[in-house]
């Protein structure tokens, strides 16, 4: 049996490889105590390992193991129940509770991802191949939605570049387009006109190749629940949430900027870049502050939104660009 199959069955968990949901909460209590001592970052890493050995994971989904990543932030992760019940996944409905409610019949397996377009070696991958393509990492990332809420999610996966580089993009490849699945019999809102289906998104090639851009296969030490984009979604933590397409079936290299679903619907509201930027407001929502779910209640003071969602290491990608114009 392959190691990935054993891991999916919860066997052979490396001591430092998985962080059960309950452990995220306990770990944060200690880290808050160490805040400012310079020990917090160290403790954050080593505790992941210690806690894992002591506490078995206890969720309903198959386990998916990832090694702790230095790209993780130290913010307190959002409880699993909030991350998996307050979602935007319009194929299942437009209410935040709809995806968890309506995604039960979705088939996340079997799955085929196709990588095509301006590349020398287009290829297709099944789920097993996707999960064994590169070492799985657990990365705790911030997620900021343009609607003004944010979460912190421990994703499991690897850099998107791992997938892209194997296709050997040609010199003509300037952008990458992502297409989400259309599963007519399980996604009730594909019959609606709320979006021009299928859901598509895009990145410039250098954005997609940035190590932070992630191909995500799991969260909280388990495979992705359907409502969060099973079995494969993208996570681009310095951009608003809608840039991260869920349940992706096709990745295509293009020479010209691909059309994206939200940009097509309302180009003045949703630009192609959509970097988290507290100085450029959406016409209907201020981007200056945000409400971290779930602890920042409606009456709690909001927290300040950070440029690039705090991921300063991507600033160089936009050197010389007017981010008011390229919003
Ligand atoms: N992908 C698809 N296919 N369909 C969608 O409706 N919504 C986007 C993005 N990816 C969406 C999608 C939006 S608006 C957000 S904020 C994030 O998914 C939400 O991800 P989450 O539910 O895991 O927090």
């Amino acid at each position: 049996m392959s190691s990935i199959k054993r891991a999916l069955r919860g066997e052979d968990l490396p001591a430092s490889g998985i962080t059960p949901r309950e452990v995220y909460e306990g770990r944060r209590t200690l880290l808050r105590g160490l805040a400012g001592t310079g020990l917090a970052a160290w403790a954050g890493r080593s505790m992941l390992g210690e806690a894992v050995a002591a506490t078995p994971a206890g969720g309903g989904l198959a386990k998916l193991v990832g090694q702790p990543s230095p790209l993780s932030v130290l913010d307190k992760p959002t409880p699993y129940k909030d991350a998996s019940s307050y979602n935007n996944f319009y194929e299942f409905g437009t209410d935040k509770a709809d995806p968890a409610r309506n995604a039960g019949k979705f088939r996340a397996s079997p799955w085929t991802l196709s990588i095509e377009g301006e590349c020398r070696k287009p290829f297709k991958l099944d789920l097993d191949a996707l999960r064994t393509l590169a070492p799985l990492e657990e990365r705790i990332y911030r997620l900021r939605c343009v609607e003004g809420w944010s979460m912190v999610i421990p994703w499991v996966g690897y850099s998107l570049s791992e997938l892209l580089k194997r296709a050997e993009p040609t010199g003509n490849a300037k952008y990458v387009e992502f297409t989400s699945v259309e599963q007519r019999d399980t996604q009730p809102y594909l019959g609606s006109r709320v979006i021009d289906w299928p859901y598509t998104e895009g990145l410039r090639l250098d954005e997609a190749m940035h190590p932070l851009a992630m191909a995500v296969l799991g969260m909280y030490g388990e495979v992705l629940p359907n409502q969060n984009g099973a079995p494969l979604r993208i996570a681009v933590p310095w951009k608003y949430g809608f840039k991260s397409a869920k349940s992706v079936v096709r990745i295509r290299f293009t020479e010209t900027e691909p059309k994206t679903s939200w940009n097509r619907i309302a180009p003045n509201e949703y630009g192609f870049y959509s970097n988290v930027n507290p100085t450029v407001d959406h016409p209907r929502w201020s981007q200056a502050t945000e409400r971290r779910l779930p602890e920042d209640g409606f009456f709690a003071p909001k927290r300040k939104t950070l440029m690039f969602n705090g991921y300063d290491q991507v600033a160089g990608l936009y050197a010389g660009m007017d981010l008011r114009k390229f919003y």
Side-chain angles (χ1 to χ4, degrees):
M1 194 192 305
S2 73
S3 59
I4 189 70
K5 281 193 178 131
R6 282 196 299 271
L8 283 167
R9 290 158 56 114
E11 300 164 15
D12 285 0
L13 298 184
S16 59
I18 187 169
T19 310
R21 294 173 198 167
E22 323 84 69
V23 176
Y24 288 103
E25 273 88 48
R27 183 164 68 95
R28 299 310 312 177
T29 312
L30 178 103
L31 291 178
R32 268 195 296 278
L34 292 175
T37 64
L39 289 172
W42 168 81
R45 299 287 161 262
S46 68
M47 277 200 71
L48 277 168
E50 288 162 23
V52 167
T55 319
L61 292 168
K63 292 172 182 44
L64 196 67
V65 176
Q67 292 296 322
S69 162
L71 294 172
S72 290
V73 294
L74 288 173
D75 306 32
K76 178 184 176 187
T78 301
Y80 180 87
K81 73 168 168 36
D82 297 287
S84 59
S85 63
Y86 189 89
N87 303 104
N88 278 336
F89 199 166
Y90 277 30
E91 287 85 333
F92 295 106
T94 53
D95 189 87
K96 296 285 181 283
D98 281 344
R101 208 163 30 210
N102 297 336
K105 295 208 171 84
F106 182 74
R107 291 180 306 279
S109 170
W111 200 261
T112 306
L113 170 73
S114 169
I115 305 200
E116 53 194 66
E118 288 289 348
C119 59
R120 273 178 285 276
K121 295 191 174 157
F123 62 97
K124 288 187 165 59
L125 280 173
D126 68 10
L127 211 42
D128 248 11
L130 265 170
R131 288 174 177 159
T132 49
L133 181 88
L136 295 175
E137 294 173 29
E138 179 182 76
R139 297 191 192 163
I140 304 173
Y141 274 179
R142 300 189 189 104
L143 182 152
R144 167 64 157 86
C145 180
V146 72
E147 294 163 359
W149 48 267
S150 63
M151 296 194 197
V152 178
I153 305 205
W155 300 120
V156 179
Y158 40 75
S159 292
L160 178 60
S161 63
E162 294 286 349
L163 278 168
L164 302 182
K165 70 185 182 194
R166 283 171 170 77
E168 298 183 11
T170 66
N172 291 336
K174 303 281 184 323
Y175 297 89
V176 183
E177 178 193 62
F178 305 92
T179 305
S180 297
V181 75
E182 285 180 281
Q183 220 173 76
R184 294 265 153 193
D185 57 329
T186 68
Q187 297 182 306
Y189 272 60
L190 287 180
S192 80
R193 294 180 169 245
V194 56
I195 281 176
D196 188 10
W197 313 106
Y199 190 97
T200 61
E201 257 306 334
L203 295 171
R204 219 172 52 195
L205 183 61
D206 57 344
E207 298 179 316
M209 293 295 281
H210 192 280
L212 276 174
M214 196 174 174
V216 173
L217 299 154
M219 63 185 220
Y220 300 80
E222 297 174 351
V223 298
L224 283 172
N226 293 343
Q227 59 270 31
N228 289 83
L232 167 71
R233 64 168 296 157
I234 308 302
V236 195
W238 71 95
K239 292 179 181 276
Y240 295 117
F242 65 87
K243 294 298 290 181
S244 298
K246 292 177 164 179
S247 305
V248 171
V249 285
R250 187 168 66 241
I251 297 179
R252 196 164 64 93
F253 296 99
T254 65
E255 189 163 9
T256 53
E257 191 179 285
K259 290 268 173 236
T260 66
S261 290
W262 289 107
N263 183 251
R264 231 180 267 156
I265 294 166
N268 62 322
E269 298 193 13
Y270 307 99
F272 179 79
Y273 285 92
S274 291
N275 293 315
V276 174
N277 187 341
T279 69
V280 178
D281 283 338
H282 180 278
R284 289 180 283 137
W285 302 292
S286 162
Q287 302 303 326
T289 59
E290 67 200 51
R291 194 164 65 84
R292 179 67 53 86
L293 298 176
E295 78 259 33
D296 297 357
F298 277 104
F299 301 108
K302 291 184 174 182
R303 61 183 74 205
K304 282 202 160 95
T305 289
L306 303 172
M307 187 65 204
F308 300 123
N309 211 12
Y311 294 92
D312 299 332
Q313 60 267 54
V314 300
L317 293 172
Y318 310 103
M321 279 176 73
D322 178 356
L323 294 179
R324 296 194 155 271
K325 192 166 156 215
F326 298 101
Y327 58 86

